[in-house]
């Protein structure tokens, strides 16, 4: 599997919680480790079963003043409770999503992808306390 790189950690807060039934909007509050690799605004919508891949959610980025038409990634339930995973650029970059109430933590692993999600999540033990409020 190789060495697991250090991720760019994005900390987001939900904007207008509960306003929409099937969509949640998040705004970037802080980035830990490196400059941001993702948009300062994310749109996470429940899957409506239009794709064969059938993820739990779809993630879109805000580009300028509009949401991208194409999803950044679909995200699936990880084998560890509280985590979801996806990828960008056709499995070039691994993304892990962790929802905590009205907060979201996204771990972005640039130029790294594996299907062994459990090992990657275990490697995050030392990074879990960065600014996310419970």
């Amino acid at each position: 599997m190789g060495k697991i790189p250090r991720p760019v950690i994005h900390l987001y807060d939900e904007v207008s919680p509960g306003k929409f039934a099937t969509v949640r909007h998040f705004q970037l509050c802080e980035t830990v480790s490196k400059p941001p690799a993702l948009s300062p605004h994310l749109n996470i919508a429940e899957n409506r079963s239009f794709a064969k891949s059938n993820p739990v959610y779809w993630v879109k980025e805000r580009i300028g003043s509009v949401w991208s038409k194409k999803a950044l990634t679909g995200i699936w339930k990880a084998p560890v409770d509280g985590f979801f995973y996806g990828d960008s650029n056709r499995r070039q970059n691994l993304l892990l999503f962790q929802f905590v109430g009205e907060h979201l933590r996204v771990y972005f692993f640039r130029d790294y992808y594996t299907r062994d999600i459990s090992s990657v999540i275990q490697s995050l033990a030392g990074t879990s306390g960065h600014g996310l409020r419970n």
Side-chain angles (χ1 to χ4, degrees):
M1 175 174 83
K3 184 179 179 194
I4 299 170
R6 183 179 173 127
V8 177
I9 305 168
H10 300 76
L11 305 174
Y12 290 89
D13 283 340
E14 188 170 4
V15 178
S16 302
K19 184 175 181 179
F20 301 101
T22 60
V23 177
R24 296 173 73 182
H25 297 116
F26 290 89
Q27 182 171 344
L28 183 66
C29 295
E30 182 182 352
T31 304
V32 180
S33 308
K34 296 180 183 177
L38 299 172
S39 168
H41 302 279
L42 295 181
N43 169 321
I44 300 183
E46 290 180 8
N47 181 23
R48 294 179 21 202
S49 300
F50 293 130
K52 289 181 182 180
S53 59
N54 204 27
V56 178
Y57 300 106
W58 289 102
V59 180
K60 290 184 177 182
E61 294 182 288
R62 190 168 183 99
I63 300 171
S65 61
V66 297
W67 295 108
S68 61
K69 291 187 180 196
K70 184 179 176 189
L72 169 68
T73 184
I75 58 175
W76 291 263
K77 182 97 177 82
V80 176
D81 284 343
F83 283 90
F84 294 81
Y85 70 95
D87 64 83
S88 67
N89 296 338
R90 297 181 184 233
R91 296 188 179 149
Q92 178 181 351
N93 307 305
L94 176 65
L95 291 98
L96 293 178
F97 296 79
Q98 183 181 25
F99 295 92
V100 179
E102 295 174 358
H103 310 288
L104 171 66
R105 182 182 288 131
V106 181
Y107 300 90
F108 183 91
F109 295 86
R110 187 179 307 280
D111 297 323
Y112 178 82
Y113 184 81
T114 180
R115 289 196 176 271
D116 186 5
I117 304 301
S118 295
S119 293
V120 176
I121 293 171
Q122 288 173 356
S123 78
L124 299 175
T127 63
S128 62
H130 289 291
L132 192 61
R133 297 165 297 282
N134 291 323

